[in-house]
Short mmCIF file of all heavy atoms in Angstrom, two decimals:
data_model
loop_
_atom_site.label_atom_id
_atom_site.label_comp_id
_atom_site.label_asym_id
_atom_site.label_seq_id
_atom_site.Cartn_x
_atom_site.Cartn_y
_atom_site.Cartn_z
N VAL B 104 126.19 16.48 42.04
CA VAL B 104 127.30 17.02 41.28
C VAL B 104 126.77 17.81 40.08
O VAL B 104 127.23 18.92 39.79
CB VAL B 104 128.24 15.90 40.82
CG1 VAL B 104 129.28 16.43 39.85
CG2 VAL B 104 128.94 15.27 42.02
N ASP B 105 125.77 17.25 39.42
CA ASP B 105 125.19 17.93 38.27
C ASP B 105 124.52 19.24 38.65
O ASP B 105 124.47 20.17 37.86
CB ASP B 105 124.15 17.02 37.58
CG ASP B 105 124.81 15.82 36.92
OD1 ASP B 105 126.05 15.84 36.76
OD2 ASP B 105 124.10 14.86 36.57
N SER B 106 123.99 19.29 39.87
CA SER B 106 123.29 20.50 40.29
C SER B 106 124.25 21.63 40.60
O SER B 106 123.84 22.77 40.82
CB SER B 106 122.42 20.20 41.51
OG SER B 106 123.24 20.09 42.66
N GLY B 107 125.54 21.32 40.65
CA GLY B 107 126.53 22.37 40.79
C GLY B 107 126.87 22.78 42.20
O GLY B 107 127.09 23.96 42.49
N VAL B 108 126.97 21.80 43.10
CA VAL B 108 127.41 22.14 44.45
C VAL B 108 128.88 22.57 44.41
O VAL B 108 129.64 22.18 43.53
CB VAL B 108 127.28 20.94 45.41
CG1 VAL B 108 125.84 20.66 45.72
CG2 VAL B 108 127.97 19.72 44.85
N ASP B 109 129.27 23.39 45.39
CA ASP B 109 130.66 23.83 45.46
C ASP B 109 131.52 22.85 46.24
O ASP B 109 132.73 22.76 46.06
CB ASP B 109 130.73 25.21 46.12
CG ASP B 109 129.99 26.24 45.29
OD1 ASP B 109 130.51 26.61 44.23
OD2 ASP B 109 128.89 26.66 45.69
N GLY B 110 130.87 22.10 47.13
CA GLY B 110 131.60 21.11 47.90
C GLY B 110 130.69 19.94 48.20
O GLY B 110 129.48 20.12 48.38
N LEU B 111 131.26 18.75 48.23
CA LEU B 111 130.45 17.55 48.51
C LEU B 111 131.26 16.61 49.37
O LEU B 111 132.34 16.14 48.97
CB LEU B 111 130.06 16.87 47.19
CG LEU B 111 129.16 15.64 47.27
CD1 LEU B 111 127.86 15.95 48.00
CD2 LEU B 111 128.87 15.11 45.89
N PHE B 112 130.75 16.33 50.58
CA PHE B 112 131.49 15.50 51.54
C PHE B 112 130.58 14.43 52.12
O PHE B 112 129.36 14.61 52.19
CB PHE B 112 132.03 16.38 52.68
CG PHE B 112 133.01 17.41 52.22
CD1 PHE B 112 132.56 18.65 51.77
CD2 PHE B 112 134.37 17.15 52.23
CE1 PHE B 112 133.46 19.61 51.34
CE2 PHE B 112 135.27 18.10 51.79
CZ PHE B 112 134.81 19.34 51.35
N SER B 113 131.19 13.34 52.55
CA SER B 113 130.43 12.26 53.18
C SER B 113 130.45 12.43 54.69
O SER B 113 131.47 12.72 55.28
CB SER B 113 131.03 10.92 52.80
OG SER B 113 130.54 9.92 53.67
N LYS B 114 129.30 12.24 55.30
CA LYS B 114 129.22 12.32 56.75
C LYS B 114 130.01 11.21 57.42
O LYS B 114 130.41 11.33 58.57
CB LYS B 114 127.76 12.22 57.19
CG LYS B 114 126.97 13.49 57.06
CD LYS B 114 125.61 13.30 57.71
CE LYS B 114 124.78 14.57 57.68
NZ LYS B 114 123.48 14.37 58.34
N GLY B 115 130.17 10.11 56.71
CA GLY B 115 130.88 8.99 57.30
C GLY B 115 132.38 9.23 57.37
O GLY B 115 133.05 8.69 58.23
N ASP B 116 132.89 10.06 56.48
CA ASP B 116 134.33 10.32 56.48
C ASP B 116 134.73 11.26 57.61
O ASP B 116 133.89 11.92 58.21
CB ASP B 116 134.76 10.93 55.14
CG ASP B 116 134.62 9.93 54.00
OD1 ASP B 116 134.40 8.75 54.28
OD2 ASP B 116 134.72 10.37 52.84
N ASP B 117 135.99 11.30 57.87
CA ASP B 117 136.51 12.21 58.87
C ASP B 117 136.21 13.66 58.46
O ASP B 117 136.43 14.04 57.31
CB ASP B 117 138.03 12.01 58.97
CG ASP B 117 138.60 12.69 60.20
OD1 ASP B 117 137.87 13.48 60.82
OD2 ASP B 117 139.76 12.41 60.53
N ASN B 118 135.69 14.43 59.39
CA ASN B 118 135.34 15.80 59.02
C ASN B 118 136.55 16.70 58.84
O ASN B 118 136.41 17.83 58.39
CB ASN B 118 134.36 16.43 60.00
CG ASN B 118 134.25 15.68 61.29
OD1 ASN B 118 134.99 14.73 61.54
ND2 ASN B 118 133.36 16.11 62.13
N GLN B 119 137.74 16.19 59.17
CA GLN B 119 138.94 16.98 58.90
C GLN B 119 139.02 17.35 57.42
O GLN B 119 139.45 18.44 57.06
CB GLN B 119 140.20 16.20 59.30
CG GLN B 119 140.61 16.35 60.75
CD GLN B 119 140.42 17.75 61.31
OE1 GLN B 119 139.58 17.97 62.18
NE2 GLN B 119 141.17 18.73 60.82
N GLU B 120 138.60 16.41 56.58
CA GLU B 120 138.64 16.66 55.15
C GLU B 120 137.79 17.89 54.81
O GLU B 120 138.21 18.75 54.04
CB GLU B 120 138.10 15.42 54.40
CG GLU B 120 138.25 15.53 52.88
CD GLU B 120 137.75 14.28 52.16
OE1 GLU B 120 137.09 13.43 52.80
OE2 GLU B 120 138.01 14.17 50.95
N LEU B 121 136.63 17.96 55.42
CA LEU B 121 135.76 19.11 55.21
C LEU B 121 136.41 20.40 55.70
O LEU B 121 136.46 21.40 54.97
CB LEU B 121 134.43 18.89 55.94
CG LEU B 121 133.49 20.09 56.11
CD1 LEU B 121 132.98 20.56 54.76
CD2 LEU B 121 132.31 19.74 57.01
N TYR B 122 136.93 20.38 56.93
CA TYR B 122 137.49 21.58 57.51
C TYR B 122 138.70 22.08 56.71
O TYR B 122 138.90 23.28 56.54
CB TYR B 122 137.91 21.32 58.96
CG TYR B 122 136.76 20.87 59.84
CD1 TYR B 122 136.97 20.09 60.97
CD2 TYR B 122 135.43 21.24 59.53
CE1 TYR B 122 135.91 19.67 61.77
CE2 TYR B 122 134.38 20.82 60.32
CZ TYR B 122 134.62 20.04 61.44
OH TYR B 122 133.58 19.64 62.22
N MET B 123 139.48 21.13 56.21
CA MET B 123 140.66 21.53 55.45
C MET B 123 140.30 22.18 54.12
O MET B 123 140.98 23.10 53.65
CB MET B 123 141.55 20.30 55.19
CG MET B 123 142.51 19.99 56.31
SD MET B 123 143.28 18.38 56.05
CE MET B 123 143.88 18.56 54.35
N ARG B 124 139.24 21.68 53.51
CA ARG B 124 138.90 22.16 52.17
C ARG B 124 138.04 23.41 52.18
O ARG B 124 137.96 24.12 51.17
CB ARG B 124 138.16 21.07 51.40
CG ARG B 124 138.99 19.83 51.16
CD ARG B 124 140.13 20.13 50.21
NE ARG B 124 141.02 18.98 50.07
CZ ARG B 124 142.00 18.89 49.19
NH1 ARG B 124 142.24 19.90 48.37
NH2 ARG B 124 142.75 17.82 49.15
N LEU B 125 137.38 23.68 53.27
CA LEU B 125 136.45 24.80 53.30
C LEU B 125 137.07 26.14 52.90
O LEU B 125 136.47 26.88 52.11
CB LEU B 125 135.79 24.91 54.68
CG LEU B 125 134.45 24.19 54.82
CD1 LEU B 125 133.83 24.46 56.18
CD2 LEU B 125 133.47 24.61 53.73
N PRO B 126 138.27 26.47 53.41
CA PRO B 126 138.83 27.78 53.04
C PRO B 126 138.96 27.96 51.54
O PRO B 126 138.58 29.01 50.99
CB PRO B 126 140.21 27.75 53.72
CG PRO B 126 140.04 26.83 54.88
CD PRO B 126 139.09 25.79 54.42
N SER B 127 139.44 26.92 50.84
CA SER B 127 139.61 27.08 49.40
C SER B 127 138.27 27.11 48.68
O SER B 127 138.12 27.77 47.65
CB SER B 127 140.50 25.97 48.85
OG SER B 127 139.81 24.74 48.81
N ILE B 128 137.28 26.41 49.24
CA ILE B 128 135.94 26.47 48.65
C ILE B 128 135.38 27.89 48.77
O ILE B 128 134.78 28.43 47.83
CB ILE B 128 135.00 25.45 49.33
CG1 ILE B 128 135.39 24.03 48.92
CG2 ILE B 128 133.54 25.72 48.95
CD1 ILE B 128 134.63 22.94 49.66
N LEU B 129 135.61 28.51 49.91
CA LEU B 129 135.13 29.89 50.11
C LEU B 129 135.81 30.84 49.13
O LEU B 129 135.25 31.88 48.78
CB LEU B 129 135.40 30.33 51.56
CG LEU B 129 134.43 29.74 52.58
CD1 LEU B 129 134.92 29.98 54.00
CD2 LEU B 129 133.04 30.32 52.40
N ARG B 130 137.02 30.46 48.70
CA ARG B 130 137.72 31.30 47.74
C ARG B 130 137.30 30.99 46.30
O ARG B 130 137.82 31.58 45.36
CB ARG B 130 139.24 31.12 47.91
CG ARG B 130 139.83 32.10 48.94
CD ARG B 130 141.35 31.95 49.06
NE ARG B 130 141.73 31.05 50.13
CZ ARG B 130 142.29 29.86 49.96
NH1 ARG B 130 142.52 29.39 48.74
NH2 ARG B 130 142.62 29.12 51.00
N GLY B 131 136.38 30.03 46.14
CA GLY B 131 135.87 29.78 44.80
C GLY B 131 136.24 28.45 44.20
O GLY B 131 135.78 28.10 43.11
N GLN B 132 137.09 27.71 44.91
CA GLN B 132 137.44 26.38 44.42
C GLN B 132 136.26 25.43 44.61
O GLN B 132 135.39 25.65 45.45
CB GLN B 132 138.64 25.84 45.22
CG GLN B 132 139.98 26.34 44.71
CD GLN B 132 140.42 25.58 43.49
OE1 GLN B 132 140.47 24.36 43.49
NE2 GLN B 132 140.72 26.30 42.42
N ARG B 133 136.28 24.36 43.83
CA ARG B 133 135.26 23.35 43.97
C ARG B 133 135.92 22.08 44.47
O ARG B 133 137.03 21.74 44.06
CB ARG B 133 134.59 23.09 42.62
CG ARG B 133 133.33 22.25 42.72
CD ARG B 133 132.64 22.20 41.36
NE ARG B 133 131.29 21.67 41.48
CZ ARG B 133 130.82 20.67 40.71
NH1 ARG B 133 131.56 20.15 39.78
NH2 ARG B 133 129.59 20.24 40.88
N TYR B 134 135.24 21.34 45.38
CA TYR B 134 135.84 20.11 45.86
C TYR B 134 134.80 19.03 46.10
O TYR B 134 133.84 19.22 46.85
CB TYR B 134 136.62 20.36 47.15
CG TYR B 134 137.35 19.13 47.63
CD1 TYR B 134 138.53 18.71 47.02
CD2 TYR B 134 136.83 18.35 48.67
CE1 TYR B 134 139.18 17.56 47.44
CE2 TYR B 134 137.48 17.20 49.09
CZ TYR B 134 138.66 16.82 48.48
OH TYR B 134 139.30 15.67 48.89
N ILE B 135 135.01 17.89 45.47
CA ILE B 135 134.16 16.73 45.66
C ILE B 135 135.02 15.66 46.34
O ILE B 135 136.14 15.40 45.92
CB ILE B 135 133.66 16.17 44.31
CG1 ILE B 135 133.08 17.28 43.43
CG2 ILE B 135 132.65 15.05 44.53
CD1 ILE B 135 131.81 17.88 43.93
N ALA B 136 134.51 15.09 47.42
CA ALA B 136 135.27 14.10 48.18
C ALA B 136 135.78 12.99 47.25
O ALA B 136 135.06 12.54 46.37
CB ALA B 136 134.43 13.51 49.30
N ARG B 137 137.01 12.59 47.52
CA ARG B 137 137.67 11.60 46.66
C ARG B 137 136.82 10.37 46.41
O ARG B 137 136.73 9.88 45.29
CB ARG B 137 139.00 11.19 47.31
CG ARG B 137 140.24 11.87 46.73
CD ARG B 137 141.48 11.38 47.43
NE ARG B 137 141.39 11.55 48.87
CZ ARG B 137 141.52 12.73 49.47
NH1 ARG B 137 141.74 13.82 48.76
NH2 ARG B 137 141.44 12.81 50.78
N ARG B 138 136.20 9.85 47.46
CA ARG B 138 135.43 8.62 47.31
C ARG B 138 134.30 8.77 46.29
O ARG B 138 133.96 7.82 45.58
CB ARG B 138 134.84 8.20 48.66
CG ARG B 138 133.91 9.25 49.26
CD ARG B 138 132.83 8.63 50.09
NE ARG B 138 133.34 7.78 51.15
CZ ARG B 138 132.57 6.98 51.88
NH1 ARG B 138 131.27 6.94 51.64
NH2 ARG B 138 133.08 6.25 52.84
N PHE B 139 133.77 9.98 46.18
CA PHE B 139 132.67 10.19 45.25
C PHE B 139 133.21 10.31 43.81
O PHE B 139 132.59 9.81 42.88
CB PHE B 139 131.88 11.43 45.62
CG PHE B 139 131.16 11.31 46.92
CD1 PHE B 139 131.05 12.40 47.77
CD2 PHE B 139 130.59 10.10 47.30
CE1 PHE B 139 130.38 12.27 48.98
CE2 PHE B 139 129.92 9.97 48.51
CZ PHE B 139 129.83 11.06 49.35
N VAL B 140 134.32 10.99 43.68
CA VAL B 140 134.93 11.11 42.36
C VAL B 140 135.22 9.73 41.80
O VAL B 140 134.91 9.42 40.64
CB VAL B 140 136.23 11.93 42.43
CG1 VAL B 140 136.81 12.12 41.05
CG2 VAL B 140 135.98 13.28 43.09
N ALA B 141 135.77 8.88 42.66
CA ALA B 141 136.09 7.51 42.24
C ALA B 141 134.82 6.76 41.85
O ALA B 141 134.78 6.09 40.80
CB ALA B 141 136.81 6.78 43.37
N ALA B 142 133.79 6.89 42.67
CA ALA B 142 132.54 6.17 42.41
C ALA B 142 131.91 6.64 41.10
O ALA B 142 131.39 5.83 40.33
CB ALA B 142 131.57 6.39 43.56
N LEU B 143 131.98 7.93 40.82
CA LEU B 143 131.38 8.46 39.60
C LEU B 143 132.16 8.02 38.37
O LEU B 143 131.59 7.79 37.31
CB LEU B 143 131.33 9.99 39.65
CG LEU B 143 130.26 10.58 40.55
CD1 LEU B 143 130.42 12.08 40.67
CD2 LEU B 143 128.87 10.23 40.03
N LYS B 144 133.48 7.91 38.54
CA LYS B 144 134.31 7.54 37.41
C LYS B 144 134.07 6.08 37.02
O LYS B 144 133.84 5.77 35.86
CB LYS B 144 135.79 7.75 37.78
CG LYS B 144 136.71 7.74 36.58
CD LYS B 144 138.16 8.00 37.02
CE LYS B 144 138.30 9.33 37.77
NZ LYS B 144 139.63 9.52 38.34
N GLU B 145 134.11 5.21 38.00
CA GLU B 145 134.02 3.78 37.70
C GLU B 145 132.61 3.36 37.31
O GLU B 145 132.40 2.27 36.84
CB GLU B 145 134.50 2.96 38.90
CG GLU B 145 133.44 2.75 39.97
CD GLU B 145 133.95 1.83 41.07
OE1 GLU B 145 135.08 2.06 41.56
OE2 GLU B 145 133.24 0.89 41.44
N LYS B 146 131.67 4.23 37.52
CA LYS B 146 130.29 3.85 37.22
C LYS B 146 129.55 5.03 36.60
O LYS B 146 128.65 5.60 37.19
CB LYS B 146 129.59 3.39 38.49
CG LYS B 146 128.47 2.40 38.24
CD LYS B 146 127.75 2.15 39.56
CE LYS B 146 126.61 1.16 39.40
NZ LYS B 146 125.82 1.05 40.63
#
Side-chain angles (χ1 to χ4, degrees):
Chain B
V104 171
D105 292 346
S106 75
V108 288
D109 297 288
L111 183 56
F112 298 86
S113 165
K114 280 188 177 181
D116 292 349
D117 193 348
N118 15 6
Q119 273 321 112
E120 187 178 12
L121 167 65
Y122 301 153
M123 274 170 52
R124 297 293 174 171
L125 266 184
S127 73
I128 289 173
L129 284 168
R130 271 182 266 112
Q132 277 281 307
R133 191 173 193 231
Y134 184 77
I135 311 292
R137 260 180 306 285
R138 60 149 56 190
F139 294 143
V140 183
L143 285 173
K144 195 178 302 173
E145 83 175 48
K146 207 186 180 187

